[in-house]
Amino acid sequence: MRMHTTPFHLSRQLQRAFTLVELMVVVAIIGILAAFAYPSYTSYVLKSHRADALNALSQNQVILERCYAQNFTYNQACASLPAFPLASPQAYYTITLPIQTATAFTLTATAIGTQVQDTSCATLSVDQANQQTAFDNGGTAQTVCWHP
């Protein structure tokens, strides 16, 4: 009785090789995973950059409150008050002071550069009463922007 055998080197090649179909299945799986992972990753990065705006707004709020404590007015010239508009520390936002009267102020952070892709939290604002507001790029108020 004679057994059908294949040469050793041919058998060894068959065991190591991938077929084109197997390779395409792996590529498809990687593509599907990337399609889900990349948007989630970019969303996380944009959300993490909001800390830049929160940091800049709170720093400038402290400066304005210090000026008020010294002069009993927010619109008095104060040596430590920066010239507005200015960039946030990591330059993801422009910080402006659109309202500055003797008894009130509003600081606003507006997304710039790549951060404009964060359409759900395009602007963040804080006033002298520590009222924190945020708006999307359509002008609709948002509640999640101040709590990263």
Side-chain angles (χ1 to χ4, degrees), residues 101-143:
T101 66
T103 58
F105 72 84
T106 299
L107 284 164
T108 301
T110 305
I112 57 173
T114 58
Q115 193 63 22
V116 297
Q117 296 172 7
D118 185 10
T119 58
S120 60
C121 297
T123 61
L124 296 100
S125 297
V126 63
D127 65 13
Q128 78 287 345
N130 201 32
Q131 294 295 317
Q132 301 166 338
T133 57
F135 296 94
D136 63 13
N137 63 348
T140 305
Q142 300 295 312
T143 57

Side-chain angles (χ1 to χ4, degrees), residues 5-89:
T5 59
T6 57
F8 178 71
H9 64 75
L10 184 58
S11 173
R12 192 170 167 108
Q13 282 182 333
L14 291 175
Q15 290 176 351
R16 283 193 193 170
F18 292 108
T19 66
L20 183 59
V21 172
E22 290 172 328
L23 186 61
M24 293 309 293
V25 167
V26 170
V27 169
I29 290 171
I30 291 171
I32 290 169
L33 290 175
F36 286 108
Y38 184 72
S40 178
Y41 170 75
T42 56
S43 173
Y44 175 77
V45 168
L46 292 172
K47 184 177 178 182
S48 70
H49 288 171
R50 290 180 202 156
D52 186 38
L54 303 180
N55 180 31
L57 289 173
S58 57
Q59 284 178 351
N60 287 291
Q61 183 181 19
V62 167
I63 292 170
L64 283 162
E65 292 298 343
R66 189 177 314 128
C67 289
Y68 185 83
Q70 293 171 350
N71 303 310
F72 302 107
T73 180
Y74 289 113
N75 61 2
Q76 179 71 27
C78 185
S80 59
L81 191 64
F84 292 97
L86 59 102
S88 60

